[in-house]
Amino acid sequence: MRSLVVAGGALALLLAVPAEGRAQSLLRGLSDAAVTVSHDWSGTDAQCGIREADIKPLVSKAAADTGLKVADDSPHAELLVTFVTLETEGTCVSHVRVALRGWATTTLLYDERKEPRAMQVVLREESTLLLSPARLHGERFRERVRGLTERIAKAIKEENQ
């Protein structure tokens, strides 16, 4: 019983240590990112008020307004926007994901030669599911994408203060 109390106390102490006392954040030092939208555009998007021309500028502006420099081709990181939208009987459903991807050098556990390799990794991800009438969906979709992007950009900003 006493060992459980000691283990529980150690765990509580570890969780109470501020983030600064732990390993360095994956976001510290990051100052810029490119924006990429990966989506197979269809008539469903138009029916739901989602326009291709809106998404990349919206993400770029939300990131920049929150303090993240947006570069056309950043060697450091990428904000990748992916989504799928379905429409039925005047109701639209979208699953949206904004992922911050960066580069890392790693050794794969199963690589017998243990050679370091450059790999793209997900540093942070935000996603949401949105259901709304088709006439309102486009604006609500844009608000959600803006919010997801702002959360990621704010996390970067906080880690760099």
Side-chain angles (χ1 to χ4, degrees):
M1 179 68 167
R2 182 174 179 168
S3 62
L4 287 176
V5 172
V6 171
L11 181 60
L13 183 60
L14 178 63
L15 294 175
V17 173
E20 300 83 36
R22 296 186 195 149
Q24 182 176 348
S25 166
L26 297 175
L27 305 179
R28 187 175 302 278
L30 183 62
S31 61
D32 64 282
V35 174
T36 304
V37 178
S38 179
H39 181 70
D40 293 328
W41 296 93
S42 69
T44 301
D45 299 312
Q47 289 173 339
C48 293
I50 302 169
R51 296 181 305 264
E52 184 174 3
D54 292 346
I55 307 305
K56 187 172 180 177
L58 179 132
V59 170
S60 298
K61 182 170 178 4
D65 288 352
T66 314
L68 180 64
K69 181 181 174 193
V70 176
D72 288 336
D73 189 23
S74 171
H76 303 120
E78 167 190 49
L79 284 167
L80 175 65
V81 181
T82 56
F83 62 95
V84 61
T85 299
L86 305 170
E87 185 274 336
T88 182
E89 299 179 16
T91 300
C92 296
V93 179
S94 292
H95 179 266
V96 185
R97 174 180 178 249
V98 179
L100 176 66
R101 302 189 319 177
W103 289 95
T105 303
T106 189
T107 303
L108 300 172
L109 294 174
Y110 55 83
D111 182 2
E112 291 177 7
R113 297 190 317 221
K114 301 297 181 200
E115 294 178 356
R117 300 171 189 266
M119 301 186 121
Q120 198 164 40
V121 296
V122 175
L123 302 171
R124 183 163 175 132
E125 175 181 283
E126 298 284 343
S127 64
T128 189
L129 186 63
L130 174 64
L131 170 80
S132 54
R135 62 182 166 57
L136 303 174
H137 196 77
E139 184 57 35
R140 292 189 66 212
F141 179 90
R142 288 184 288 280
E143 288 173 13
R144 291 283 176 94
V145 170
R146 183 180 305 111
L148 297 174
T149 303
E150 287 173 349
R151 284 203 302 249
I152 291 173
K154 284 179 185 174
I156 295 168
K157 185 177 183 176
E158 287 172 6
E159 288 300 324
N160 284 305
Q161 291 181 344

